[in-house]
Amino acid sequence: MRTWKPTTSGIMLIVAGCYGIGIGAAVTTMGGIAGMITGLEWLAAIGGGLIAMGVVALIGGIVSLKRRVWGLALAGAILSLPLLPVGTVMGILSIIFLTKSKGEFS
């Protein structure tokens, strides 16, 4: 039986992933500029980590919509948690929806 839970989770993870990629790009850019001025080049690396978490959340949302790989969808939901504040709220809800609909994944 197909329910709304994986679809809703997938949409939320795609939104959280896009948000994470955008925030990561902004932090990388601003960190690079601030790094040139202050000598703290490591600030740009934080943005790279945010981009990576956003990409995994985005992929998790796609597989959740397709109802394929439950573990990857759950990993995307977990990795969206540090993407404050949007990813945190959507990640918590996605984890709840994914655990309740585990049987729908192939």
Side-chain angles (χ1 to χ4, degrees):
M1 184 168 107
R2 292 175 64 105
T3 64
W4 55 271
K5 294 172 190 157
T7 304
T8 305
S9 175
I11 292 169
M12 288 192 296
L13 287 177
I14 288 172
V15 170
C18 291
Y19 173 78
I21 292 169
I23 292 298
V27 169
T28 301
T29 303
M30 293 301 137
I33 293 170
M36 287 189 289
I37 295 170
T38 62
L40 300 173
E41 291 84 13
W42 57 270
L43 291 174
I46 294 172
L50 292 172
I51 291 172
M53 286 187 272
V55 167
V56 174
L58 183 66
I59 294 170
I62 292 168
V63 297
S64 179
L65 285 175
K66 292 182 177 184
R67 290 173 170 84
R68 292 284 182 245
V69 185
W70 181 80
L72 184 56
L74 186 63
I78 291 170
L79 286 178
S80 73
L81 293 176
L83 303 173
L84 298 172
V86 174
T88 303
V89 173
M90 292 188 178
I92 291 170
L93 291 172
S94 291
I95 290 171
I96 293 168
F97 293 153
L98 286 170
T99 54
K100 290 188 175 278
S101 63
K102 183 178 181 181
E104 294 185 40
F105 286 78
S106 58

